Amino acid sequence: MQTEPDRSGFGRAAAFGGMFLAWYVGLAVLVGVVGGGEFIASTPGLCLLVTGTGAGGLWLGDRFGRWQDWTPAETWGLAAGPPQSRIWAAATLGGLTLGVVGGWLAENVGQPLKQAMHWPQDVDTMTSLASALTEGPLGWRALFILVVVFVGPLFEELIFRGVLWRSLRARGAVTSILVTSLAFALYHGDPAQAIGLLPLALLLGVLRRAGAIAPCVLAHALNNAVATLLALTLGLDGETSVALATGAAACGALAFGLALSAGQSAEPGPRVR
């Protein structure tokens, strides 16, 4: 019996990424055409776009995994054993603090970059998200909070640290971390938001390197919960102080250290035929 070589890599990642991008753009265009420009930026429109994009991504991921003859556990990052306690600690600590670091980066690096790029002022994803959390009917805002804190992180981790990570596995952990982190940041569209998400994205990759995907979902959900709380309490004009960002960065560095100290998980390799 011979073990089939695992040829997964950039080609597979590009194939799945292209299909997911086509679905995301197509859905956004459809929602915008049917509902109008104001609807897609409203709380109901964003709820529909986030859940629809994620659900479509999961369907595409399932089809793609079957096409590649992966098991569901391989496709969704469930093949590794139970995470170590230090991984759960890293996920919790990083999830609670790296969003603060990301907020400072978005304000002080991302926004000047947008100005240098001559980014349209009326295209601001971060403002749209904050407005959806703080304005409009209470029922829709409550639903959007659930989507942002629970639904979005689950869907996005299964897509980026599940299917996309599995596609890149043969390229090694460093490549998988960098590619999935960059793809995850760019997926959010806004340059300032993309830069702000990079610290979290890199930690999620390091957590995934250590094993199962559940700690990634936890860190992502905690990050979004903190961002939601800050948006609700500080509003659209809130700024992240240097002192707060520095303290959060120190905690984030500790989270990276804990995650890296856990080593790399040996996930099951290609099946023997």
Side-chain angles (χ1 to χ4, degrees):
M1 301 177 66
Q2 294 183 338
T3 302
E4 181 184 4
D6 187 352
R7 297 187 177 89
S8 62
F10 292 128
R12 285 180 174 175
F16 173 72
M19 291 189 297
F20 179 61
L21 179 62
W23 166 251
Y24 174 42
V25 173
L27 180 63
V29 170
L30 179 63
V31 173
V33 169
V34 175
E38 292 185 0
F39 175 76
I40 197 172
S42 68
T43 307
L46 287 172
C47 284
L48 177 60
L49 186 60
V50 172
T51 55
T53 301
L58 295 189
W59 184 85
L60 289 172
D62 177 70
R63 296 294 96 189
F64 190 77
R66 292 173 185 267
W67 177 40
Q68 300 297 330
D69 197 27
W70 299 336
T71 66
E74 288 179 292
T75 302
W76 305 118
L78 306 175
Q84 302 176 34
S85 58
R86 73 183 70 180
I87 292 299
W88 289 115
T92 302
L93 184 60
L96 290 173
T97 58
L98 287 178
V100 177
V101 178
W104 187 89
L105 288 173
E107 296 163 10
N108 296 277
V109 180
Q111 293 297 345
L113 176 62
K114 287 176 65 174
Q115 294 177 3
M117 295 171 61
H118 302 289
W119 191 263
Q121 294 184 358
D122 59 341
V123 180
D124 193 324
T125 304
M126 298 176 66
T127 300
S128 297
L129 291 173
S131 297
L133 290 168
T134 57
E135 301 173 3
L138 180 59
W140 277 113
R141 288 163 54 193
L143 178 61
F144 188 57
I145 289 173
L146 292 177
V147 169
V148 169
V149 177
F150 298 106
V151 178
L154 177 61
F155 283 1
E156 291 175 6
E157 291 312 305
L158 289 173
I159 291 168
F160 289 96
R161 254 65 61 174
V163 185
L164 191 59
W165 182 280
R166 174 62 184 86
S167 300
L168 292 162
R169 192 176 69 183
R171 295 287 180 174
V174 173
T175 298
S176 299
I177 291 171
L178 293 177
V179 173
T180 56
S181 298
L182 183 60
F184 173 75
L186 293 176
Y187 158 73
H188 288 80
D190 189 290
Q193 188 181 16
I195 288 176
L197 283 171
L198 280 175
L200 173 70
L202 291 170
L203 177 66
L204 294 174
V206 175
L207 292 172
R208 181 68 177 88
R209 165 185 174 269
I213 202 170
C216 301
V217 178
L218 173 64
H220 195 158
L222 288 174
N223 173 85
N224 286 14
V226 170
T228 299
L229 180 62
L230 291 176
L232 292 174
T233 55
L234 300 180
L236 300 178
D237 299 324
E239 295 184 359
T240 305
S241 68
V242 174
L244 180 60
T246 301
C251 294
L254 178 57
F256 271 100
L258 287 171
L260 288 169
S261 69
Q264 183 172 348
S265 172
E267 294 189 56
R271 294 184 295 283
V272 176
R273 295 180 181 273

